[in-house]
Amino acid sequence: MIDRFSLTHIPAEDEALRAPVRSFLHDTLGALAPATRARSWLGFDAGFSRAMAEQGWIGLTLPKAYGGGGRSPFARFVLVEELLAVGAPVSAHWIADRQSGPLIARYGTLEQKAFYLPKICAAQAFFCIGMSEPNAGSDLASIRTRAVQTANGWRLTGRKIWTTNADKSHYMIALARTSGIPEDRQRGLSQVIVDLSLPGVSIAPIEDIAGDRHFSEVTFDDVDLGHEALIGMEGAGWEQVAAELAFERSGPERIYSSVVLLEEWLLALQAAKRAGQDVSRSERSALGALIAELATLRELSLSITGRLAKGESPATEAALVKDLGTSFEQSVPTVIGDLLGTRPLRGIADCSLADTLAYVTKIAPSYSLRGGTREILRGMIARGLGLR
């Protein structure tokens, strides 16, 4: 499979985006506490997202005709790297920018594109994902949420869970069964766009172990949707979801979730050395190994971005990098926590490292759940390699 990856470089015109993004982030965010920066993926700040939109950086790869930037996937790679490195609160626009917008651009009608895409690019429409369900988990083919055709459109009934920011979003793209029964698996599934303010929609936030409430369970109780709610072809939902998940898994997001903690540990090691404390061989070795793994994963992610820029759809490769990336992200708090436990660093002026480690340790188990569990991804990789 290694022959599917090639050394790829960011084009100069896209690399040039890095400097203005850094300047904007410095001026807009100032100095954030490390434990706040570590929440970047889940940091919801609509004002920050609107400020990003004013710079033209929401919907960066979407068509200019709909308010997007018309840029290549490399430009978005640079933007995402800078956002996650500084720990920017990206959660408000994240899903709409990364997957809902591209999905609508690819499968939506002209009317859907004209209505939703400009709002996404202006950070005026936030989306959540309606895939997982109670008692179904990552087995999307067994979902029971149903959309029944009516004289005026569709009537939606069912439940979704783990819907990030559903309580703060305007819309959901929901996977629903429009024909057949759950035992039909992939057949008979479709996607519908749901206005979350409609009667019959109820949203119950779920508090996680870190004390955050970004997940929600969403219930649809005979929610009436218009004909225009259907996105793409009726019954083609499985193919469309596969494309949406490829958007979700193909970016550099899957390797940087623990990068703020890694940076804080490096700063702590440097502070200890300045204070005259020895940095042990095991600490130096662990730091080198983590940085080398991160650099390798970045090259793999860049290779996928290069293939996306060519119009290809490297779903198997994206699944592989997502699996490797989340394993790396989860290893960072374990490695650092173990080393701090055996040799606490003295002379650190504040608790920023401890606070950041505590948060990342709590949230890290979710890294291998979001975007597809490790078991599901490895099954995809096996099929992509012809092994099952």
Side-chain angles (χ1 to χ4, degrees):
M1 187 174 182
I2 193 64
D3 61 338
R4 301 189 188 183
F5 294 91
S6 59
L7 190 62
T8 305
H9 300 286
I10 298 175
E13 63 269 23
D14 296 318
E15 186 64 38
L17 182 62
R18 202 175 297 276
V21 170
R22 285 184 180 179
S23 178
F24 166 82
L25 293 174
H26 178 270
D27 295 341
T28 304
L29 297 177
L32 298 174
T36 300
R37 293 174 57 215
R39 284 172 160 80
S40 180
W41 265 61
L42 304 174
F44 192 101
D45 186 334
F48 174 78
S49 294
R50 285 191 288 271
M52 286 271 296
E54 290 173 1
Q55 299 295 317
W57 294 338
I58 307 295
L60 194 61
T61 62
L62 293 177
K64 289 184 177 181
Y66 298 108
R71 300 286 296 269
S72 80
F74 286 111
R76 186 177 185 276
F77 190 102
V78 169
L79 178 65
V80 169
E81 274 200 315
E82 294 301 319
L83 290 169
L84 296 183
V86 78
V90 299
S91 189
H93 67 265
W94 198 239
I95 290 169
D97 176 75
R98 183 182 65 193
Q99 58 199 96
S100 303
L103 183 79
I104 293 169
R106 181 169 177 176
Y107 294 106
T109 63
L110 291 176
E111 291 76 14
Q112 288 171 334
K113 294 175 186 178
F115 182 81
Y116 292 107
L117 296 186
K119 291 181 173 60
I120 288 173
C121 295
Q124 295 173 353
F126 302 143
F127 278 69
C128 61
I129 303 167
M131 294 185 190
S132 297
E133 294 187 4
N135 304 317
S138 291
D139 184 14
L140 295 182
S142 68
I143 66 168
R144 297 179 179 276
T145 294
R146 181 171 291 274
V148 177
Q149 198 158 14
T150 66
N152 298 315
W154 304 89
R155 181 162 293 156
L156 185 66
T157 305
R159 288 189 296 165
K160 296 294 179 180
I161 202 165
W162 313 131
T163 47
T164 302
N165 291 332
D167 57 329
K168 302 181 183 72
S169 295
H170 304 98
Y171 302 99
M172 173 195 289
I173 295 183
L175 183 65
R177 187 164 295 283
T178 50
S179 65
I181 58 177
E183 287 70 26
D184 289 334
R185 305 294 291 167
Q186 292 91 341
R187 298 189 302 275
L189 298 177
S190 304
Q191 286 184 300
V192 290
I193 303 177
V194 184
D195 182 337
L196 295 174
S197 68
L198 288 173
V201 178
S202 59
I203 301 173
I206 301 170
E207 184 171 312
D208 65 19
I209 194 172
D212 296 323
R213 292 163 64 88
H214 52 272
F215 287 140
S216 292
E217 182 173 359
V218 182
T219 302
F220 306 114
D221 186 8
D222 290 336
V223 179
D224 286 319
L225 309 173
H227 293 290
E228 70 281 359
L230 179 69
I231 181 169
M233 297 292 293
E234 193 273 325
W238 189 256
E239 172 194 339
Q240 294 173 197
V241 161
E244 183 177 353
L245 288 171
F247 292 137
E248 182 176 355
R249 295 167 180 156
S250 59
E253 297 95 317
R254 300 301 174 177
I255 62 178
Y256 289 124
S257 296
S258 299
V259 72
V260 172
L261 173 60
L262 182 58
E263 180 186 34
E264 282 302 300
W265 184 49
L266 173 58
L267 293 174
L269 290 173
Q270 292 172 335
K273 190 171 183 179
R274 287 194 300 270
Q277 300 177 26
D278 178 50
V279 177
S280 70
R281 181 175 181 178
S282 59
E283 289 167 334
R284 293 195 303 270
S285 176
L287 177 62
L290 289 173
I291 291 175
E293 187 173 0
L294 177 59
T296 302
L297 288 167
R298 182 179 186 271
E299 291 300 323
L300 292 173
S301 185
L302 266 176
S303 178
I304 292 175
T305 301
R307 294 188 60 182
L308 291 172
K310 296 176 183 176
E312 300 176 17
S313 182
T316 302
E317 295 84 346
L320 175 65
V321 175
K322 195 272 183 184
D323 183 26
L324 295 173
T326 52
S327 295
F328 164 76
E329 291 176 326
Q330 289 175 332
S331 74
V332 171
T334 300
V335 169
I336 294 175
D338 287 348
L339 285 168
L340 288 175
T342 58
R343 188 180 181 187
L345 294 172
R346 296 178 298 278
I348 300 175
D350 56 49
C351 299
S352 61
L353 176 59
D355 291 344
T356 307
L357 175 62
Y359 171 73
V360 175
T361 299
K362 290 175 183 176
I363 202 69
S366 71
Y367 296 164
S368 56
L369 298 176
R370 61 193 190 194
T373 64
R374 182 168 286 126
E375 293 77 12
I376 293 293
L377 291 173
R378 291 179 180 178
M380 289 178 56
I381 295 164
R383 284 192 295 273
L385 295 175
L387 299 177
R388 59 178 292 189

